[in-house]
């Protein structure tokens, strides 16, 4: 006789759909544990049932586990390879995995199969934008808007793409329409702050500060709105009130940054990358001259520099690429065992170095197949200039510099991601800047003649002379298009997206003085660099 404790009834095929419906109802109610129970009840006895696999993938996607989600969607598509719902969900997961090129291929299949599905066009636009394909991104969003012309939420999302494209007035008009309609109001106000320089009589800054009193805002939205309000108040020259918003945003987040641990990591970097160490590995990497690395502190002029370079007909701008850090991660950079990175570099062979370099060059090719040079303007690549020098001994490196006080204050007033934890308070920010300055001095010592320093203030004082110096450094002939960089149509997704659409202006020099009475901790931390 079978043990009743171990026996169970197999779920009959006739009950699969009702069980799945219970799972969907639970998921819609936010009870993901219960939903997963129902889906797994089906998969326990019918492990290849595509709808159950798909729904498990959607739970993983909502839990921000896109790699797991992709696995479920892949299994579902194996059973039904042309199911547009499964394909769309797979495209969403691929985009969440930061694989926009693959996501584009998947989502294009969906738009061909279901051209009336607006969300597919929206997600395709997001994937195109992630690759910097601004024309394609806008075309996808335009198609979505055609399908849902009255959807103000979609219009707001499209306006955010317009901001990145530099079409500020069109974007501002949409954001203001959303504010008037009270649709996505907080998001529209945040978008408007990026697209518009507020005048003294503009009503939106007061609306923003008023909205901050609402208890309906999520922590994330509240933080974004505080930065937007701070920027808007600063536009209106209400600097004390603006600074209060920035400080409150930091305090509400409660972020802390382990500056001592960070300085130890920089010291270890200097121990690894000595002049003899780099000289012994000077012939390992790729001979390619295609990459141009623009590095420096955020808000030091890296976006402006890239925009000037990318205005040259033989130079393409790829934006901020994370690939150098990813390659470093493969070698142990960021590992708990801090010795692994150095040990991997010590054993690095020519074949390994060329393979790593080829992977990076393939990324540049996706951004432009024809340009002689491609700019990677990830500011924090300054931390990895030793690795860059090994992988690309003939690549140009441009280091953007700006007045230390201006740089730090500009950072402090920006809504950076959590990866910029050093931006949490003025004292830590100043200490971080000193560590950055010290590491750059080291790179200049061990890589003599490899790095061009480009000062923001020199660019402001004489744009043509500074621009000619940049182009000469790349080895290309001068082109007058570099003087009209604000007219170059390309996706810009950094906080400087507004500035690079304007001609050179001098109001950003010594801008820190607007907040002078609040900056004691920063000045103290910077020491002589604040002078």
């Amino acid at each position: 006789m079978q043990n009743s404790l171990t026996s169970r009834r197999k779920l009959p095929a006739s009950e699969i759909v009702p069980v799945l419906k219970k799972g969907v109802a639970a998921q819609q109610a936010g009870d993901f544990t219960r939903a997963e129970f129902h889906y797994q009840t089906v998969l326990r006895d019918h492990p290849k049932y595509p709808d159950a696999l798909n729904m498990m993938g959607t739970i993983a996607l909502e839990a921000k586990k896109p790699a797991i989600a992709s696995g479920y969607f892949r299994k579902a598509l194996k059973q039904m390879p042309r199911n547009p719902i499964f394909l769309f969900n797979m495209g969403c997961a691929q985009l969440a995995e930061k694989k926009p090129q693959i996501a584009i291929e998947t989502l294009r299949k969906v738009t061909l199969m279901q051209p009336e599905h607006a969300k597919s066009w929206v997600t395709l636009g997001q994937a195109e934008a992630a690759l910097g394909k601004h024309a394609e991104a806008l075309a996808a969003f335009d198609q979505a808007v055609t399908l849902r012309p009255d959807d103000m939420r979609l219009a707001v999302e499209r306006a955010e793409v317009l901001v990145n494209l530099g079409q500020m007035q069109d974007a501002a008009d949409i954001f203001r329409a959303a504010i008037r309609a009270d649709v996505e109001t907080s998001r529209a106000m945040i978008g408007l702050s990026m697209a518009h320089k507020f005048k003294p009589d503009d009503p939106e800054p007061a609306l923003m500060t008023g909205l901050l009193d609402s208890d309906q805002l999520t922590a994330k939205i509240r933080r974004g709105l505080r930065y937007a309000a701070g920027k808007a108040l600063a536009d209106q020259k209400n600097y004390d009130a603006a600074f209060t918003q920035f400080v409150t945003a930091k305090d509400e987040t409660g972020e802390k940054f382990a500056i001592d641990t960070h300085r130890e990591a920089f010291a270890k970097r200097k121990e690894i990358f000595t002049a003899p160490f780099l000289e012994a590995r000077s012939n390992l990497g790729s001979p390619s001259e295609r990459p141009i690395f623009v590095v420096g502190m955020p808000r030091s002029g890296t976006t402006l520099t890239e925009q000037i370079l990318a205005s040259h007909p033989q130079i393409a701008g790829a934006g901020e690429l994370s690939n150098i850090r990813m390659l470093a991660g493969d070698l142990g950079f960021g590992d708990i065992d801090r010795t692994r990175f150095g040990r991997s570099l010590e054993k690095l062979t020519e074949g390994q170095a060329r393979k790593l370099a080829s992977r990076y060059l393939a990324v540049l090719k996706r951004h432009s197949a024809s340009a002689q040079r491609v700019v990677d303007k990830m500011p924090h690549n300054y931390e990895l200039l030793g690795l860059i020098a090994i992988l690309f001994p003939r690549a140009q490196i441009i280091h953007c510099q700006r007045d230390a006080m201006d740089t730090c204050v500009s950072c402090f007033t920006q809504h950076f991601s959590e990866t910029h934890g050093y931006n949490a308070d003025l004292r830590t920010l100043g200490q971080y800047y000193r560590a950055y300055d010290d590491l750059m001095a080291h790179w200049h010592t061990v890589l003599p003649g490899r790095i061009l320093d480009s000062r923001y203030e020199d660019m402001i004082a004489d744009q043509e002379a500074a621009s000619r110096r940049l182009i000469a450094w790349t080895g290309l002939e001068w082109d007058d298009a570099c003087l009209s960089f604000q007219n170059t149509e390309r996706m810009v997704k950094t906080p400087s997206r507004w500035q690079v659409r304007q001609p050179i202006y001098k109001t950003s020099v010594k801008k820190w003085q607007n907040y002078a009475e609040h900056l004691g901790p920063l000045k103290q931390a910077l020491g002589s660099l604040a002078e």
Side-chain angles (χ1 to χ4, degrees):
M1 180 175 173
Q2 190 176 20
N3 190 330
S4 61
L5 293 177
T6 59
S7 65
R8 62 175 178 80
R9 182 177 69 93
K10 182 177 180 179
L11 185 72
S14 61
E15 294 184 22
I16 290 177
V17 172
V19 171
L20 286 179
K21 286 182 177 179
K22 290 180 182 179
V24 171
Q27 187 172 348
Q28 290 174 339
D31 189 347
F32 299 112
T33 301
R34 192 68 182 169
E36 182 176 358
F37 169 78
H38 290 303
Y39 302 148
Q40 292 290 12
T41 297
V42 174
L43 292 174
R44 178 186 60 193
D45 294 325
H46 307 274
K48 295 183 179 181
Y49 199 84
D51 289 306
L53 291 166
N54 175 65
M55 295 311 299
M56 278 300 301
T58 64
I59 287 182
L61 206 51
E62 291 195 65
K64 300 189 185 305
K65 297 179 179 179
I68 294 174
S70 291
Y72 279 113
F73 297 140
R74 194 174 297 110
K75 291 177 182 178
L77 284 164
K78 191 171 182 180
Q79 305 304 313
M80 300 177 68
R82 290 189 55 78
N83 185 297
I85 296 175
F86 300 171
L87 282 168
F88 171 72
N89 289 338
M90 174 61 93
C92 292
Q94 290 165 339
L95 183 56
E97 283 188 275
K98 300 188 185 305
K99 297 178 180 178
Q101 186 62 59
I102 301 173
I104 287 170
E105 295 171 7
T106 302
L107 293 163
R108 281 178 179 164
K109 293 177 184 177
V110 181
T111 58
L112 287 172
M113 296 165 67
Q114 290 189 331
E116 74 288 351
H117 187 222
K119 189 59 180 174
S120 298
W121 289 105
V122 171
T123 313
L124 176 60
Q126 293 169 340
E128 299 279 16
L131 275 183
K133 296 183 176 181
H134 47 279
E136 294 89 340
L138 188 58
F141 274 98
D142 286 345
Q143 186 65 36
V145 169
T146 299
L147 292 167
R148 295 198 327 225
D150 298 326
D151 188 334
M152 186 55 73
R153 289 178 174 80
L154 176 55
V156 167
E157 193 159 358
R158 176 177 175 272
E160 290 169 346
V161 175
L162 291 173
V163 170
N164 292 333
L165 282 167
Q167 297 181 32
M168 301 301 186
Q169 189 56 57
D170 289 345
D173 290 344
I174 295 170
F175 290 134
R176 281 196 161 115
I179 293 169
R180 288 193 299 270
D182 197 22
V183 176
E184 295 278 11
T185 306
S186 299
R187 185 174 177 179
M189 285 183 174
I190 294 169
L192 182 61
S193 75
M194 295 185 291
H196 177 68
K197 185 169 185 178
F198 294 92
K199 301 178 179 64
D201 59 345
D202 280 339
E204 289 87 5
L207 292 175
M208 291 179 190
T209 55
L211 188 58
L212 283 166
D213 293 331
S214 169
D215 58 3
Q216 302 299 312
L217 301 178
T218 65
K220 181 178 180 180
I221 289 294
R222 186 181 302 279
R223 186 182 188 208
L225 190 58
R226 283 211 185 277
Y227 280 101
K231 186 267 184 187
L233 291 165
D235 284 350
Q236 294 182 326
K237 302 188 185 308
N238 192 349
Y239 297 114
D240 289 342
F243 204 78
T244 296
Q245 292 296 341
F246 299 136
V247 171
T248 304
K250 311 287 185 186
D251 291 344
E252 287 177 345
T253 305
E255 291 180 356
K256 299 295 181 183
F257 184 74
I259 187 66
D260 290 338
T261 302
H262 182 78
R263 285 189 287 220
E264 290 172 8
F266 274 25
K268 186 65 179 176
R269 208 90 26 93
K270 290 161 65 176
E271 286 179 18
I272 295 171
F273 293 103
T274 63
F277 183 92
L278 290 166
E279 178 62 29
R281 290 157 182 80
S282 60
N283 295 317
L284 291 185
S286 167
S288 174
E289 297 181 4
R290 200 156 193 248
I292 299 174
F293 295 96
V294 175
V295 303
M297 277 288 290
R299 310 300 294 164
S300 64
T302 56
T303 302
L304 174 61
T305 298
E306 183 195 27
Q307 186 77 353
I308 290 170
L309 291 168
S311 298
H312 193 287
Q314 293 174 303
I315 303 178
E320 298 182 358
L321 302 180
S322 60
N323 300 84
I324 288 295
R325 189 166 290 263
M326 291 168 62
L327 296 180
D330 289 348
L331 296 171
F333 180 76
D335 202 87
I336 295 176
D337 178 2
R338 293 189 182 177
T339 66
R340 185 182 159 215
F341 186 47
R343 287 187 283 108
S344 296
L345 288 167
E346 286 176 357
K347 297 184 290 186
L348 190 68
T349 65
E350 181 177 342
Q352 291 170 329
R354 295 286 177 97
K355 185 176 180 179
L356 291 171
S358 294
R359 284 168 54 189
Y360 179 79
L361 290 173
V363 173
L364 298 191
K365 189 174 183 179
R366 288 201 294 270
H367 284 273
S368 175
S370 58
Q372 289 191 38
R373 304 281 190 273
V374 181
V375 182
D376 178 350
K377 62 134 292 196
M378 175 60 78
H380 282 276
N381 276 342
Y382 82 81
E383 300 178 33
L384 292 164
L385 290 184
L387 176 62
I388 287 171
I390 292 172
L391 297 184
F392 298 102
R394 299 179 67 183
Q396 287 86 24
I397 301 170
I398 298 171
H399 170 221
C400 294
Q401 293 178 298
R402 184 184 180 189
D403 175 84
M405 289 290 289
D406 273 336
T407 300
C408 290
V409 170
S410 188
C411 284
F412 190 77
T413 59
Q414 295 300 317
H415 186 189
F416 285 161
S417 69
E418 295 175 359
T419 58
H420 298 269
Y422 57 84
N423 200 30
D425 65 85
L426 290 171
R427 188 177 304 281
T428 302
L429 180 55
Q431 293 171 330
Y432 179 89
Y433 188 96
R434 288 183 69 88
Y436 140 79
D437 186 70
D438 178 70
L439 184 59
M440 282 308 308
H442 173 77
W443 293 134
H444 274 294
T445 299
V446 299
L447 296 170
R450 286 294 314 276
I451 303 167
L452 175 71
D453 286 331
S454 177
R455 287 199 62 81
Y456 179 79
E457 290 78 11
D458 293 343
M459 184 71 69
I460 300 301
D462 189 341
Q463 178 200 346
E464 181 170 354
S467 299
R468 285 183 177 275
R469 185 165 173 258
L470 288 175
I471 300 304
W473 183 253
T474 71
L476 300 175
E477 294 294 323
W478 171 255
D479 192 287
D480 284 341
C482 297
L483 296 178
S484 302
F485 63 88
Q486 69 273 15
N487 298 325
T488 300
E489 294 187 2
R490 49 183 294 271
M491 182 73 80
V492 180
K493 298 180 71 174
T494 71
S496 301
R497 55 172 72 82
W498 188 87
Q499 289 95 324
V500 298
R501 307 301 182 187
Q502 317 301 318
I504 288 288
Y505 57 96
K506 299 184 179 181
T507 56
S508 56
V509 176
K510 297 297 180 183
K511 199 170 183 178
W512 66 267
Q513 293 175 346
N514 295 324
Y515 307 101
E517 66 180 88
H518 304 284
L519 302 179
L522 176 61
K523 277 191 170 185
Q524 185 179 23
L526 284 172
S528 61
L529 294 177
E531 298 173 1

